[in-house]
Structures are given as structure tokens and as C-alpha cells.
Amino acid sequence: MGYAQTVTPQKGLFFGMFSNYAEARVEHFRRGIYAKTVRELENLSDKQLADIGVPRDEIKQRAYQSVYHKQPYKRPVH
């Protein structure tokens, strides 16, 4: 007769510390990418923004969507 044993991984102190650290690093990285994206788009001229289809008043919204929701901007085809 055979025996089966189920082992449940323990989520102890080190797991929690590593998990929190990893989440903080990812958030820090995302904030940096967001800030850089906004800064670079704000430095473009109105004509350059029009060429890529991004209104100046939507720069922060578009950057946020791209960085935090993985939604790249798709220009409408006319």
C-alpha cells in the first residue's frame, strides 16, 4: 500500500520580505518609465504630437495607460 503526502509551501518571513521588495522595485521602475515618457512627450512640438496622434492634454493619460495597463497607443486609421 502506498502513501501520498501533500506538502504545502510555507510563506514565511523571507517570502513576504522578498515579495514586498520585488513589488516596490517594479513600482519604482514603472514610475521612472512613466516620468520619462511624460517628459519626452511634453518636449515634443505640437506638430510632432499631431503627427503621432497624441493631443497635448492627453499626454499623462496615454503614458499612464501604456506603462500601467500595457496598452500601447494605437492611432486611428483614417
Side-chain angles (χ1 to χ4, degrees):
M1 190 146 111
Y3 292 96
Q5 182 179 2
T6 304
V7 178
T8 306
Q10 296 295 319
K11 294 185 178 181
L13 175 66
F14 291 112
F15 176 81
M17 286 176 24
F18 178 75
S19 177
N20 291 342
Y21 175 75
E23 288 175 20
R25 292 288 296 161
V26 168
E27 180 59 25
H28 176 74
F29 179 75
R30 283 185 178 158
R31 272 188 268 135
I33 295 295
Y34 170 77
K36 181 179 179 191
T37 302
V38 169
R39 187 171 48 251
E40 289 180 357
L41 287 172
E42 286 178 341
N43 286 333
L44 296 177
S45 69
D46 289 337
K47 181 175 180 348
Q48 290 171 317
L49 286 171
D51 287 345
I52 61 173
V54 177
R56 188 165 294 280
D57 62 341
E58 292 182 13
I59 288 175
K60 289 181 181 178
Q61 175 189 1
R62 300 277 179 95
Y64 185 88
Q65 291 292 328
S66 178
V67 173
Y68 287 95
H69 297 292
K70 300 178 185 172
Q71 296 176 354
Y73 175 66
K74 296 179 183 170
R75 288 177 51 180
V77 179
H78 295 174

